[in-house]
Amino acid sequence: MTNQQLTIKRWMLIFFSLLVVARVGGGETGKYLGPCSVVPSRDGRMLYIAFADAKHIAFVNIRSGKVTRSIATPAKPTGLTVSPDGRELYVTCAATQSTILVMDAESGKIEAKIPLGHTACGPTVTRDGKRLYVCNRFDNNVSVIDLETRKVVARVSATREPLATAITADGKSVLIINHLPAERADTFDVAAVVTIIDTQSNATTTIRLPSGASGLRGICNSPDGKHAYVTHILARYELPTIQVDYGWMNANALSVIDTKEKKLLGTVLVDEMYLGAANPWDVACTADGKWICVTHAGTHELSVIDAPALLKKLLAMPVKPPPEQIGEVVYDDRNELLDYFRRLRATLKGKPAESGEPYTLGSAAGVSNDLNFLDGLRRRIKLKGKGPRGLSIIGSKAYVAEYFTDTLSVVELEPKSPNMVHELALGPKPQLTVRRRGEMLFNDAELCFQHWQSCASCHPDARMDGLNWDLTNDGIGNLKNTKSLLLSHKTPPVMSSGVRASAEMAVRTGMKHILFAERPGEDAIAIDTYLKSVEPVPSPYLVDGRLSSAAERGKKLFFSDKVSCSKCHPAPLYTDMRRHDIGSKSPCDRRRAFDTPTLIEVWRTAPYLHDGRYTTIKELITEGGCCRQESDAKLTQRQINNLVEFVLSL
Ligand code: HEC
Ligand code: HEC
């Protein structure tokens, strides 16, 4: 072949490959809708869908399946709710300074924008239509809005990362789920709580879920208002992570709350003996109270649970028995095992082996360990799309927003109906970039042996679950607090003991030894690409995007020769990527030196140090290793407060 012939051949090749690309690429690469939340109009004829990635709201005619209106939002829409008279649609738009849009539910006209806090989500309106409750996720509080004046009338504290709200039928209480536990992690009783606001006084109480409850995502009330249902992960963080089956690492759960008594009735596992149902997300009930539906974001399924049968069975269970019966009645194998490990570690830490009460169960004894509890009470329905998140029910149909495929699944809930699941495309079929595919895999429990967990089970939003785990990378018996994956790829080595040379290596070993899966190399590359793209969220401690004056003073101390935090935590990543012995070794640790963590987003990643022993930076600075040796004694309270303010602003 001559040179000229070769060139023509090359051009033809390029031409034809371009043609192929043009044909395959229906939707444009990298453009996603990201449907995350769906609510029906009051007349049940329309659906409002929030597209988190495309930043708009779509009005979908249910009968035709067509998008009739599309309205751009000023920031990522995270949640929707409709006024009781059906005339207004409220849309939370999440940003550092969020807003809630008041929209005409018919025309889509934006009537008002009410300013809110950091990352607004989970709105609910009272039945009389007078008030709106909205979570400010990263301010850890809830805004109460008067809808007549369209003004925020109160901000009520929640516990940690409130995500969703539900109002009881009598309007007396608002229940709020907190995404993560807010406790030190080096004990054997760590759990997230549900906050309850008294709507009259704005006073709050909390209900603690069983130990290991983390990653709360959804809440709803039963139509009769007697119960609330909460979806979450039930982590068995106490056990060494040598197996994943039988929910040994992460089980997946639905907690049932008695709203009148304000107590937990019990926590039911939504997994089955040989098949996990990972990452339960949203929950909703049919209006007749017959079915409770749960989306499983990790396994792309919908659970349809027989509500009366579930309550009957749960209420018939013995409640936690009197102490003299513990050991005979309720001790099943798992509890004995958990207790064994707890005692073993107490001994290792040099505490008496008998410390603490015997291992506590969920309120209804034994239920939270029973992988057969829902047998015969629940149908698991496979959905067609990937990443089912938001859920709404109209009549006997469930509508599920499927985040990764830009689809909506319509599921017929009556057991005998044919063609149970229909799928509706909400836009062109998305062409996944490597990054997006990585995000999908990261959230996909189908990678895991028997689908018990995804990477996101312990690393929600690529961050952390607030729990300690006994991973096998550095030997057994020395639990480590889950690390956020923000900047992991830029700050080798990884793991608090620095045993993995790079995040790339941790991703690959994570698949193998945490998900117990063999996966092709391209999956790991996709996950790397996704994790590298994760951007820090601006700190809620910043004032208009800048350091407060206290933080400015703290900054000077941080970089000063006297305090010299920056010796080990230099800007811009706030880590020197080395190991240091700062005296933080606990009796269970085999090593003295730990990898210096980045301090970016540290406002969000409590508890602190490799074993999660401190819940606040102040505790860490005054009691912990970091500055104790050199400068603790010399810093005044004010200086410490300024230093804390700076670190929390990063
Ligand atoms: C059972 C909970 C759990 C699951 C599931 C899990 N991880 Fe982790 N991950 C952890 C804990 C705990 C650490 C910190 C361990 C340490 O410091 O020794 C960690 C650390 C990491 C790190 C190092 C972070 C750093 O900067 O030091 C990476 C990277 C990582 N995980 C990726 C993944 C990926 C990818 C998956 C899914 C394949 C995954 N993890 C699944 C618990 C988990
Ligand atoms: C000699 C090096 C060194 C110096 C100096 C130092 N640190 Fe650290 N810092 C570390 C190491 C190593 C860790 C991790 C220890 C562990 O996990 O047990 C750490 C952990 C932290 C953490 C917890 C982060 C997390 O995610 O758990 C914070 C916050 C912190 N340091 C702030 C500071 C501040 C503020 C100063 C100055 C007063 C300071 N450090 C000085 C090495 C240092």
Side-chain angles (χ1 to χ4, degrees):
M1 232 185 282
T2 66
N3 254 353
Q4 205 179 5
Q5 277 172 317
L6 247 176
T7 317
I8 291 171
K9 249 193 127 161
R10 256 189 226 138
W11 275 112
M12 282 176 63
L13 244 172
I14 292 172
F15 179 73
F16 282 114
S17 33
L18 279 178
L19 262 187
V20 170
V21 170
R23 281 183 67 88
V24 172
E28 201 179 324
T29 305
K31 294 235 154 148
Y32 313 108
L33 299 175
C36 63
S37 176
V38 49
V39 294
S41 61
R42 287 288 161 199
D43 63 11
R45 284 196 288 197
M46 196 141 63
L47 289 172
Y48 305 109
I49 304 179
F51 293 143
D53 293 309
K55 297 199 186 121
H56 71 250
I57 304 297
F59 289 30
V60 178
N61 181 307
I62 292 182
R63 195 174 291 167
S64 69
K66 292 260 164 8
V67 175
T68 57
R69 230 179 261 292
S70 174
I71 296 133
T73 55
K76 186 176 174 167
T78 45
L80 305 167
T81 192
V82 177
S83 64
D85 63 9
R87 292 197 350 223
E88 287 175 343
L89 170 68
Y90 308 106
V91 185
T92 50
C93 298
T96 327
Q97 288 167 317
S98 311
T99 48
I100 188 157
L101 305 180
V102 180
M103 225 180 240
D104 184 295
E106 193 64 43
S107 69
K109 187 169 166 270
I110 297 172
E111 291 172 350
K113 283 184 195 174
I114 306 167
L116 290 169
H118 198 321
T119 309
C121 53
T124 312
V125 64
T126 49
R127 289 201 176 184
D128 60 12
K130 290 194 172 143
R131 288 199 164 185
L132 197 57
Y133 288 82
V134 188
C135 303
N136 298 306
R137 177 172 181 178
F138 295 127
D139 289 335
N140 299 327
N141 59 29
V142 172
S143 288
V144 187
I145 298 167
D146 180 317
L147 281 170
E148 256 156 48
T149 58
R150 292 181 175 159
K151 292 238 149 58
V152 175
V153 288
R155 274 216 193 188
V156 184
S157 291
T159 303
R160 184 176 187 186
E161 293 196 24
L163 276 191
T165 49
I167 298 180
T168 53
D170 60 12
K172 287 192 178 145
S173 321
V174 180
L175 281 76
I176 298 142
I177 49 164
N178 293 287
H179 186 48
L180 297 176
E183 304 175 344
R184 62 188 292 177
D186 62 337
T187 73
F188 287 97
D189 192 3
V190 188
V193 300
V194 174
T195 303
I196 303 184
I197 304 180
D198 178 316
T199 50
Q200 285 299 308
S201 64
N202 282 344
T204 57
T205 46
T206 56
I207 297 177
R208 201 162 185 277
L209 298 183
S211 181
S214 185
L216 280 62
R217 285 286 178 188
I219 182 166
C220 76
N221 278 312
S222 60
D224 64 8
K226 288 189 183 153
H227 303 108
Y229 303 106
V230 177
T231 55
H232 59 92
I233 284 170
L234 195 60
R236 311 303 193 176
Y237 62 91
E238 313 90 338
L239 301 171
T241 58
I242 47 174
Q243 65 174 82
V244 71
D245 30 352
Y246 305 108
W248 177 284
M249 286 171 77
N250 276 310
N252 301 286
L254 183 74
S255 277
V256 184
I257 288 170
D258 179 330
T259 50
K260 187 147 173 269
E261 299 292 324
K262 299 194 170 94
K263 67 169 200 199
L264 178 71
L265 284 179
T267 295
V268 173
L269 297 185
V270 291
D271 308 298
E272 287 168 279
M273 195 64 90
Y274 303 109
L275 192 61
N279 305 101
W281 199 281
D282 208 357
V283 54
C285 298
T286 51
D288 60 8
K290 236 163 100 179
W291 308 109
I292 305 163
C293 295
V294 175
T295 49
H296 299 278
T299 55
H300 323 296
E301 291 171 296
L302 182 76
S303 275
V304 183
I305 303 168
D306 181 333
L310 167 71
L311 288 169
K312 191 169 162 214
K313 187 166 175 184
L314 193 61
L315 293 171
M317 298 298 294
V319 177
K320 196 174 152 191
E324 63 274 15
Q325 279 178 31
I326 292 181
E328 300 158 33
V329 183
V330 291
Y331 254 42
D332 59 15
D333 289 351
R334 180 191 298 276
N335 283 306
E336 275 177 30
L337 205 64
L338 291 175
D339 209 45
Y340 168 77
F341 280 108
R342 209 176 65 116
R343 281 159 201 264
L344 186 72
R345 294 206 186 98
T347 323
L348 278 172
K349 284 195 172 183
K351 288 184 196 149
E354 293 301 327
S355 64
E357 266 184 64
Y359 207 80
T360 51
L361 301 150
S363 295
V367 175
S368 63
N369 289 324
D370 186 354
L371 286 164
N372 292 321
F373 193 83
L374 287 182
D375 276 7
L377 308 183
R378 180 265 305 264
R379 284 169 287 146
R380 280 178 82 157
I381 298 173
K382 190 84 201 154
L383 301 171
K384 293 188 173 146
K386 296 261 184 210
R389 294 188 175 180
L391 161 75
S392 261
I393 297 176
I394 309 175
S396 67
K397 286 198 176 75
Y399 297 85
V400 181
E402 293 162 336
Y403 185 73
F404 289 110
T405 38
D406 292 348
T407 46
L408 186 80
S409 266
V410 185
V411 183
E412 180 54 65
L413 299 176
E414 285 309 318
K416 294 211 176 79
S417 60
N419 297 330
M420 295 251 292
V421 187
H422 291 281
E423 199 189 47
L424 210 72
L426 296 168
K429 190 170 180 224
Q431 300 298 306
L432 300 185
T433 55
V434 176
R435 193 208 74 82
R436 185 65 158 187
R437 198 169 156 269
E439 184 183 357
M440 190 167 86
L441 292 170
F442 189 85
N443 284 278
D444 194 348
E446 288 187 348
L447 265 61
C448 177
F449 177 69
Q450 292 182 351
H451 308 175
W452 290 96
Q453 60 186 4
S454 62
C455 302
S457 296
C458 299
H459 297 288
D461 306 308
R463 284 6 185 248
M464 25 33 79
D465 56 6
L467 300 171
N468 282 359
W469 287 94
D470 202 356
L471 298 185
T472 52
N473 63 47
D474 54 356
I476 285 179
N478 48 357
L479 284 80
K480 297 288 183 316
N481 196 230
T482 306
K483 295 191 76 175
S484 165
L485 306 184
L486 175 72
L487 296 171
S488 290
H489 283 77
K490 284 198 177 147
T491 58
V494 299
M495 305 292 170
S496 35
S497 48
V499 290
R500 301 267 181 245
S502 66
E504 282 84 353
M505 197 178 263
V507 168
R508 284 144 188 84
T509 48
M511 287 185 170
K512 200 160 172 189
H513 300 297
I514 299 181
L515 301 186
F516 297 85
E518 290 289 347
R519 300 290 300 185
E522 67 196 49
D523 286 7
I525 293 171
I527 292 181
D528 287 334
T529 312
Y530 161 59
L531 292 176
K532 283 181 198 168
S533 77
V534 176
E535 300 250 350
V537 170
S539 164
Y541 291 84
L542 296 173
V543 183
D544 293 328
R546 301 230 185 91
L547 293 179
S548 67
S549 47
E552 283 288 359
R553 289 193 290 274
K555 182 178 179 182
K556 288 208 181 88
L557 287 169
F558 189 93
F559 288 100
S560 68
D561 289 340
K562 181 183 163 204
V563 185
S564 72
C565 309
S566 55
K567 205 169 69 187
C568 304
H569 297 283
L573 297 176
Y574 295 90
T575 165
D576 60 359
M577 302 186 225
R578 287 168 192 273
R579 275 175 268 193
H580 297 280
D581 177 2
I582 57 162
S584 61
K585 178 184 182 298
S586 89
C588 298
D589 289 315
R590 315 234 161 96
R591 295 172 175 79
R592 308 196 67 85
F594 295 93
D595 182 41
T596 309
T598 173
L599 301 183
I600 293 180
E601 252 194 24
V602 86
W603 55 270
R604 166 175 191 184
T605 60
Y608 303 114
L609 293 193
H610 67 280
D611 61 355
R613 75 181 80 152
Y614 297 118
T615 51
T616 64
I617 303 279
K618 184 153 186 180
E619 267 178 307
L620 169 83
I621 292 181
T622 48
E623 297 165 31
C626 275
C627 65
R628 192 176 49 198
Q629 299 119 315
E630 290 154 54
S631 44
D632 190 18
K634 294 168 227 145
L635 287 179
T636 64
Q637 273 302 316
R638 259 193 86 195
Q639 285 175 318
I640 291 174
N641 290 344
N642 292 341
L643 199 54
V644 170
E645 187 79 6
F646 172 65
V647 172
L648 287 172
S649 304
L650 292 171

